[in-house]
Every structure is written in structure tokens, then in C-alpha cells.
Amino acid sequence: MYQTSALMEGVTVEPLDFPQMVLGEGPFWIESLQALMLADVFSNILRRNFFHTGRQQVLHLDSTGDPLDVVTAAIPVEGDPDLYVAAEGKHVSFLRWSARDPDVDNTTVKIVHTTKDFAFNDAKCDPQGRLWAGTVVPLDQNLIMLEVNTSGLYRMDSNFFVSKWATGSLTNGMEWSLDRKNFYFVESHTRVIYVFDYDDKSGAIRNQRVLFDYAKAGLEDQFPDGMTIDVDGNLWVASFGGHQVICVNPKTRQIIRRVHIPAKNVASVCWGGPDYSILFVTTGTLGMSEEEIEANPLSGGTFAVRGLGTRGLPAARFRLRSDQYQGQQVVV
């Protein structure tokens, strides 16, 4: 375990039993299984770690040999413990994965939507169970964007209707305020967390404005990435390239806490554990040289942060319209 500085007094950061990953994304705590699930992006694998038993499950998704055979997020579907909706490459797909399946298994997905953008990235469900998924532009080997503002933020409703709500380049973390009046959204390219007005009934967002600017906060050497919210309404943001998770108060728009992570490229975060008081953190070695990885040997690892004095709430699941499910449109 790791403990650093007075600002982290009583806080521990523990490496978990996951392999080193080029990029770990989309952590999701599955309460019914007491398991942490995440996406091993460039291996096109979903991983689950069962906390009470130590069991690990690995699910390999379909592979065609295409460089875009990647999975970036998977979210359980409400009412069916074995059904998940996933963002994988250019597709939104459904897949089945049971705790009864072998520890290492393969699956065939059911594609329900294909984007014209380069590829999907982060995905999360709003409080009404609608799926929000952002896309990204292509990058070169040095992670330099080959184009800008050709990706976007999309919403898929329970009837699979997909609509576009924002334009971007490297769309990332998402969250909703506890009163369901605001939607928070990360654009990594501009190093900005945006806030929108959010209508919980219709799912509409409008009035985009800057909530927090990394450059103006002196964080020019890092990028906001995945994001989650605690019971106090504060945002916990993974800082890619910054060895840290920052906590931002949306009311004051100030950093109120920092958690040092012993890995350079911090990718995403979620709350979990029996009482949702553990902050799980994924990282990656993406874009790092061999020398950097040697100097940061825990990079690409997954961590559990305890002792933060706050907790999160269960993440929303995707809500299917009953006739879509009964009509077998997502049978896989």
C-alpha cells in the first residue's frame, strides 16, 4: 500500500490483482457479484475481479484483426444479470457474460449501432438508463490527433434511437449532478470539463459552458480523462499523464483534493466496494517509453483507494424498452 503527504493522511492506495495494461478503462462495480469489471482496451478483453473470493474472469470479444477491435466500456443491462451493452471500436453492441461461465471465455457480440466517426471511447448511462457514448478522432503513434472536431457525444435511448448532442475530438468522462439538473462532460483535447443543463425526463442537454479548465488550473502537462461523482456532489477526475486523481467542487470550480497514484497515465475511476467507499482507479502504459515504464513500474495497473472519507453511489444500468428485449433484438 502507498500513503503520501499530509493531504493524503489516512488514505491508502493499493495495487489490485489485475495485469499491467496498455490501457485500462471503463471500471464498473457490479454490486450483485461484488466484482470490479473493467476493459482491457487494446487486448479487446473484459476483466472481472471478485473481491470476496479473488476469482478472476476474462472475456475475449470477437476479433477480426482490425486495429479497431477494442473494447472501452461495458455496462450491465437492467433486469438481466448476464446482459451487457458495450462500446467496442465503431460499434455499440450487446453481449452475454455469466458468473457461471469459465474463467477464460470468448463471446460473440450483437451489434446494434455503428458510428460513422472513427471509434467510440467512454460510455455511461444517465439516471434514466439512457446510454451516452463519446467518440474520438484518429491518433498517430505519438498520440497526436490527425484531425479535430470530427467526433461527438451521442445518446442511445431504450429503443436504440441514437442522437448527437455535442461535437468534440477526444470525448471522455461523463457524470450527472445529484439533483439531475447538470451533465458534466470531459473533452480531453481542450483539457476542459464542460457542464450542460440536463433535463432528466427527456434526456436533453443544452447550454454548454466551461466548468473546469486544466490549463488555467496549472495542469498543462496532463489531461482530464474518466470521471465519477461522490455523495457530496464532488467530481473525481482521472488525470492522464499526471500521476493523480483530482477532486473538483463543481460549485466553487476549485480542486479540493488530490490523490497521488503510483502510475503516470491515470485513465478512469469508479466507486465500489460493499458501501461504495473505495475509489477504483485504472491506468495505462499508452504513449510511455520503455524507460518511462521502467521508472514507473506500476503504470498500467489498477488500484483501490481507501480512506477518502466519502463514497459514491451505484452506477446506472442500461434500461431496455420491454418490447425490444422481448422482440429478441438483443439476443446474443
Side-chain angles (χ1 to χ4, degrees), residues 11 20 24 27 36 63 65 84 137 161 172 188 212 253 278 288 315:
V11 175
Q20 184 182 65
L36 177 65
S63 181
Y84 296 82
V137 300
F161 178 76
N172 248 307
S188 295
F212 185 82
R253 305 188 178 203
I278 302 172
M288 296 175 65

Side-chain angles (χ1 to χ4, degrees), residues 19-210:
Q20 184 182 65
M21 288 172 266
V22 175
L23 187 62
E25 282 282 7
F28 194 105
W29 179 256
I30 305 174
E31 186 170 356
S32 61
L33 300 178
Q34 291 293 291
L36 177 65
M37 177 179 67
L38 56 80
D40 186 344
V41 174
F42 292 103
S43 297
N44 203 26
I45 285 172
L46 292 174
R47 299 183 181 275
R48 283 198 299 221
N49 187 321
F50 294 75
F51 268 59
H52 292 320
T53 64
R55 180 191 178 195
Q56 297 184 42
Q57 263 189 309
V58 174
L59 185 67
H60 294 260
L61 276 65
D62 292 333
S63 181
T64 64
D66 191 296
L68 288 179
D69 282 342
V70 296
V71 58
T72 48
I75 300 165
V77 173
E78 189 175 279
D80 189 330
D82 300 336
L83 187 63
Y84 296 82
V85 60
E88 43 125 17
K90 298 180 79 72
H91 312 297
V92 174
S93 305
F94 284 86
L95 61 92
R96 287 199 170 275
W97 193 16
S98 171
R100 299 182 299 276
D101 292 340
D103 289 349
V104 179
D105 204 5
N106 299 279
T107 191
T108 299
V109 302
K110 169 73 172 181
I111 297 171
V112 295
H113 175 73
T114 300
T115 183
K116 294 181 180 179
D117 296 351
F118 179 68
F120 281 107
N121 191 30
D122 213 343
K124 192 173 282 190
C125 288
D126 68 23
Q128 294 297 331
R130 295 168 289 238
L131 179 71
W132 293 77
T135 59
V136 295
V137 300
L139 308 175
D140 68 14
Q141 293 181 345
N142 297 313
L143 304 184
I144 304 298
M145 293 184 301
L146 300 179
E147 52 194 62
V148 296
N149 293 329
T150 57
S151 68
L153 175 66
Y154 299 86
R155 191 188 78 209
M156 187 175 81
D157 298 338
S158 61
N159 62 357
F160 301 158
F161 178 76
V162 176
S163 52
K164 184 175 182 179
W165 290 91
T167 296
S169 298
L170 294 174
T171 64
N172 248 307
M174 292 167 268
E175 260 303 347
W176 290 262
S177 62
L178 301 183
D179 62 8
R180 302 187 181 186
K181 292 183 177 180
N182 292 305
F183 169 66
Y184 306 113
F185 169 60
V186 168
E187 169 53 69
S188 295
H189 167 52
T190 56
R191 293 183 170 90
V192 165
I193 303 171
Y194 292 104
V195 58
F196 297 74
D197 297 334
Y198 167 72
D199 184 280
D200 190 48
K201 183 176 180 180
S202 68
I205 58 174
R206 63 178 183 85
N207 191 22
Q208 179 179 359
R209 64 259 188 213
V210 174

Side-chain angles (χ1 to χ4, degrees), residues 16 29 51 270-280 303-308 310-312:
L16 296 177
W29 179 256
F51 268 59
C270 81
W271 293 100
D275 61 354
Y276 287 87
S277 65
I278 302 172
L279 185 69
F280 293 110
F303 302 87
V305 182
R306 294 178 171 88
L308 289 168
T310 187
R311 60 184 177 86

Side-chain angles (χ1 to χ4, degrees), residues 185-195 209-224 237 239 246 248-249 252-255 258:
F185 169 60
V186 168
E187 169 53 69
S188 295
H189 167 52
T190 56
R191 293 183 170 90
V192 165
I193 303 171
Y194 292 104
V195 58
R209 64 259 188 213
V210 174
L211 177 77
F212 185 82
D213 188 320
Y214 260 50
K216 291 182 179 179
L219 305 176
E220 301 93 341
D221 60 341
Q222 49 203 279
F223 299 84
V237 188
S239 288
I246 64 171
V248 175
N249 183 329
T252 64
R253 305 188 178 203
Q254 300 295 314
I255 299 175
R258 300 173 188 255

